[in-house]
């Protein structure tokens, strides 16, 4: 039998394996099961999310109380905090590291692995009806490459000179030589860590793309795939094509630092702007990598909790593809103030305004989806609604930034910081909360506590806006990013009280997350037991037990319809699962016959 | 392997000969001083990409693969052109 | 049961009629295209931005030797494709022989490149800014410096990464050979050989372009 035929028979058998019970290490540590790998990514990423939050809190101490001794500061080494009789005061170099590492860790080690590592691994095979990913061992390698990358990143705090301090964007020439940041090994570890992580993401992307193309169950045509899968598929393509360019740039920068080459160093004839172009050529698709899966998750939750089909499914798919496509030609909007060719400024401005269109289409479609729906305002829905609203705000501030003349004024100010956090926290992170809550029963067989989640949601959404909304004002008033002590500028000194307000809100916000953390861990052990389909959902993952067995589906699922048939007249309930046989005779060419094994076998 | 259409064996040796001839042609062409540098570069790039095309289509069997695979393989090409074209604008400011 | 019988009367299995391993390898190669684009693209940009730091073809680099090396790599592509053709006919011995030929030629390519690196370095053509002192192949060892450190940096980075990919390819070929010796491949199950071939031809393809852009322009 040919390889294709072997694969099809194997899948048709429903993935029954003669597996003896796996030893602990093969089942939990070096697992090749996509569901276990998803959980591994989840636990590690949540850990890094906490670290990233703590780094931000420390930053906010310095901004809220500039030059004042930080509580607990005496525990940190002298390289980070200068000891005084009253306590330890943060050093500017450490502040720069905090800024850099907060961004790096949140983007690469928290949000990306949560959206792509957790949800990509968990949802793709289940939603398309496959028994696992196309390359399960490669999947395991993908996770186990991310771990040393994370260790290297954390280790960089402990080396002499401290952690990288040139911003998460690591612009040359500042980053190209330690003599200007005071950071030597730390910057190199940063580069090495991201290169390894890039490789991890890359092999993951190969896996996701192959799986979605080749391993869909019968009847699961492209336009019957759930939007979460579509979003993850396009995201994987972005990862596949963007990360290698970053890798090349990181390696060249590493050579500049260690070997003394001069790719980006003007003092030896290099081009700093080349770094910016290479970095942002990757960097812009990267931000779509950080938002597309969140959009997919939101579509799933909104449609399900409103008991209504997604409005405009086809245009949602085209919008995802459009965002993925246009995302390649807008990168220069990060460089309006870099001194690049002004003509490029104009062309990037136009393309950036254009990319607002597919995002707007999606937003209007979400609103139309919930319009007059039978809204179940439980916590996944609340998080998803927050996603849409906060993403709208973040998107609107993006329109301002897209306009080059306006950006001349607000570039590198807190206006940008506000935008970033509205889309990444207000957008991606709320979607992650929605997704974890929604698929928690599928992962652990138990529900999260609904009351605790609602409390967490209510407090978080308020505090979060108290933190980030004022940053729009701060930015327009001229407060710049990445600054250790803005009070040194007389015109910024009046902004001190606002900064203190934000800092206090941040401390409370970070503390509030403990509610979700507690709920998460408590529910794993003591949550209310969940059925196969606690949300009455249509997609394939809800047809299997919670949690699903190895191999997922006992027999190959057959798909008859799209994923958003909620409140359909053809069903006697308000949902109509994709795999449920239609009661009326279906269209001729889609009648599947059950494949029963004959005595001779296949 | 029952993948791709059944086809007669590809002309591997003929392609090899073509690649050899083109390589010689390239090296020779590169040293013709009479031609302006721009035409030199264009001619060499064209020859190089044609050689790459031969390798992809015959040795990597693209010719007998589904057209969708061709589409996938072509995907990076616009990205490459965009990156190089845009960044070149930095160097040649009008 | 044949594919035909299994899908008779059923909704056809969606998906590309390209099996997973092969599809996965093609997808991976696309990412490699982008990687080399970043490196070669940077070279092109830097060359346009600072032409005085580079030199005309043949002045510093040894074109005849590298042209021969290019030819070697193309030959190894032929031997690889012959190996694949052999196993398509179920010819185990042919598979092993042609794989071995590919390994030998591939290793020779790397060997020639290492020799080239050593020769260039001894002429003062190095990647490190402070130590760069290229004098050209015909020049005296203490002659005027040709080009600048960008030339060395970009040259060694591009060819070095390509050489690394070739070396990894040679190691994978050895692994493939070892599996072939154990009889792991048959006419019906030659995915491993096919994807090895795809990677190897890709490495050749990149070199074809690299050679032209770096050595001839």
């Amino acid at each position: 039998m040919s390889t294709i035929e072997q694969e099809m028979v194997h899948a048709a058998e429903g993935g029954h394996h003669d597996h003896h019970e796996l030893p602990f290490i093969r089942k939990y540590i070096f697992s090749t099961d996509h569901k276990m790998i998803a959980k591994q990514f989840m636990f590690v990423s949540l850990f890094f999310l906490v670290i990233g939050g703590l780094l931000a809190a420390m930053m906010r101490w310095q901004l809220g109380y500039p030059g004042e001794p930080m509580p607990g500061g005496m525990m940190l080494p002298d390289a980070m905090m200068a000891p005084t009789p009253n306590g330890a005061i943060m050093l500017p170099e450490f502040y720069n590291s905090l800024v850099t590492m907060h961004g790096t860790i949140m983007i690469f080690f928290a949000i990306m692995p949560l959206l792509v590592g957790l949800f990509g691994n968990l949802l793709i095979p289940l939603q398309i009806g496959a028994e696992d990913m196309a390359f399960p061992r490669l999947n395991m390698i993908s996770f186990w490459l991310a771990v040393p990358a994370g260790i290297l990143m954390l280790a960089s705090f402990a080396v002499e000179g401290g952690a990288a301090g040139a911003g998460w964007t690591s612009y040359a020439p500042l980053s190209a030589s330690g003599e200007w940041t005071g950071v030597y090994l730390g910057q190199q570890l940063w580069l090495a860590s991201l290169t390894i992580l890039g490789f991890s993401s890359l092999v993951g992307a190969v896996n996701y793309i192959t799986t979605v193309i080749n391993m869909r169950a019968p009847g699961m045509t492209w336009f019957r795939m759930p939007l979460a899968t579509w979003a993850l598929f396009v995201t994987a393509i972005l990862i596949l094509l963007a990360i290698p360019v970053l890798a090349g740039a990181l390696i060249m920068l590493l050579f500049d630092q260690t070997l003394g080459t001069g790719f980006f160093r003007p003092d030896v004839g290099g081009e700093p702007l080349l770094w910016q172009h290479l970095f942002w050529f990757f960097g812009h698709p990267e931000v779509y990598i950080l938002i597309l899966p969140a959009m997919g998750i939101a579509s799933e939750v909104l449609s399900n909790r409103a008991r209504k089909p997604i409005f405009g499914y086809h245009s949602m798919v085209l919008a995802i593809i459009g965002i993925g496509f246009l995302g390649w030609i807008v990168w220069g909007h990060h460089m309006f103030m870099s001194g690049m060719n002004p003509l490029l400024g104009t062309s990037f401005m136009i393309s950036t305004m254009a990319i607002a269109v597919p995002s707007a289409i999606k937003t209007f479609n979400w609103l139309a989806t919930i319009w007059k729906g039978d809204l179940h305002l439980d916590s996944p829905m609340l998080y998803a609604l927050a996603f849409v609203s906060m993403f709208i705000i973040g998107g609107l501030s993006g329109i301002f930034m897209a306009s080059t003349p306006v950006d001349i004024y607000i570039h590198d100010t807190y206006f940008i910081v506000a935008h970033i956090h509205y889309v990444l926290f207000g957008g991606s992170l709320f979607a992650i909360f929605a997704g974890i809550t929604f698929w928690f029963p599928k992962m652990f067989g138990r529900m999260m506590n609904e009351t605790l989640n609602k409390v967490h949601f209510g407090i978080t959404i308020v505090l979060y806006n108290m933190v980030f909304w004022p940053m729009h004002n701060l930015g327009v008033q001229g407060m710049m990013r990445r600054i250790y002590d803005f009070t040194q500028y007389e015109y910024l000194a009046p902004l001190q009280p606002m900064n203190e307000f934000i800092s206090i809100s941040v401390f409370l916000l970070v503390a509030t997350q403990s509610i979700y953390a507690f709920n998460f861990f408590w529910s794993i052990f003591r949550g209310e037991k969940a059925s196969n389909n606690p949300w009455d959902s249509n997609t394939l993952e809800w047809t299997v037990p919670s949690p699903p067995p190895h191999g997922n589906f006992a027999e190959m699922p057959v798909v008859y319809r799209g994923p958003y048939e909620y409140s359909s007249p053809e069903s006697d309930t308000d949902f109509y699962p994709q795999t449920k046989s239609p009661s009326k005779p279906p269209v001729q060419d889609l009648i599947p016959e059950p494949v029963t094994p004959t005595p001779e076998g296949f | 392997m029952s993948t791709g259409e059944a086809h007669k064996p590809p002309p591997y040796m003929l392609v090899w000969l073509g690649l050899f001839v083109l390589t010689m042609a390239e090296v020779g062409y590169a040293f013709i001083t009479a031609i302006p540098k721009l035409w030199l570069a264009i001619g060499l790039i064209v020859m190089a990409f044609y050689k790459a095309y031969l390798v992809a289509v015959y040795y990597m069997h693209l010719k007998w693969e589904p057209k969708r695979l061709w589409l996938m393989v072509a995907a990076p090409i616009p990205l490459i052109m965009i990156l190089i074209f845009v960044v070149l604008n930095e160097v040649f400011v009008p | 049961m044949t594919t035909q019988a299994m899908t008779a009367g059923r909704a056809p299995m969606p998906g590309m009629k390209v099996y997973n391993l092969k599809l996965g390898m093609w997808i991976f190669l696309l990412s490699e295209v982008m990687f080399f684009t970043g490196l070669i693209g940077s070279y092109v940009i830097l060359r346009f931005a600072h032409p005085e730091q580079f030199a005309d073809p043949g002045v510093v680099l040894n074109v005849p030797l590298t042209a021969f090396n290019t030819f070697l790599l193309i030959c190894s592509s032929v031997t690889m494709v012959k190996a694949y053709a052999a196993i398509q006919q179920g010819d185990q011995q042919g598979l092993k022989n042609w794989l071995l030929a590919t390994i030998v030629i591939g290793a020779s390519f790397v060997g020639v490149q290492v020799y080239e690196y050593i020769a260039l370095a001894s002429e003062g053509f190095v990647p490190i800014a402070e130590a760069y002192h290229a004098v050209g192949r015909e020049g005296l060892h203490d002659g005027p410096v040709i080009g600048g450190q960008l030339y060395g940096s970009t040259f060694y980075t591009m060819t070095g990464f390509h050489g690394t990919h070739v070396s990894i390819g040679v190691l994978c070929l050895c692994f493939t050979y070892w599996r072939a010796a154990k009889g792991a491949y048959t006419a019906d199950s030659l995915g491993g050989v096919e994807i090895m071939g795809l990677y190897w031809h890709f490495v050749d393809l990149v070199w074809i372009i690299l050679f032209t852009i770096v050595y001839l322009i």
Side-chain angles (χ1 to χ4, degrees), chain A residues 45-63:
Chain A
S45 311
L46 288 175
F47 167 72
F48 275 102
L49 187 69
V50 169
I51 303 266
L54 291 174
L55 296 176
M58 283 197 272
M59 271 169 63
R60 286 310 320 181
W61 172 266
Q62 166 60 22
L63 288 170

Side-chain angles (χ1 to χ4, degrees), chain A residues 5 8-9 135 206 209-210 213-214 216-217 240-241 244 251-252 259-263 268-269 271 278 591 595 602, chain C residues 1 3 6 9-10 13-16 18 20 23-24 27 31 34-35 42 50 53 127-129 149-150 153 157 161:
Chain A
E5 288 167 343
M8 288 164 79
V9 169
F135 308 116
V206 172
I209 298 172
T210 309
I213 292 178
N214 261 5
R216 287 167 286 133
L240 184 82
L241 299 175
I251 289 167
M252 287 193 276
L259 293 182
T261 56
F263 294 102
V268 291
E271 278 296 326
L278 288 175
I591 304 175
V595 180
F602 280 109
Chain C
M1 187 188 279
T3 316
M6 262 176 48
R10 294 183 68 128
M13 291 288 288
M16 220 185 258
V18 175
N20 283 2
L23 183 62
I27 292 170
S31 77
M34 294 309 289
F35 177 68
S42 297
H50 301 279
Q53 290 221 23
I128 300 160
Q149 68 81 30
L150 274 182
S153 308
T157 306
F161 269 102

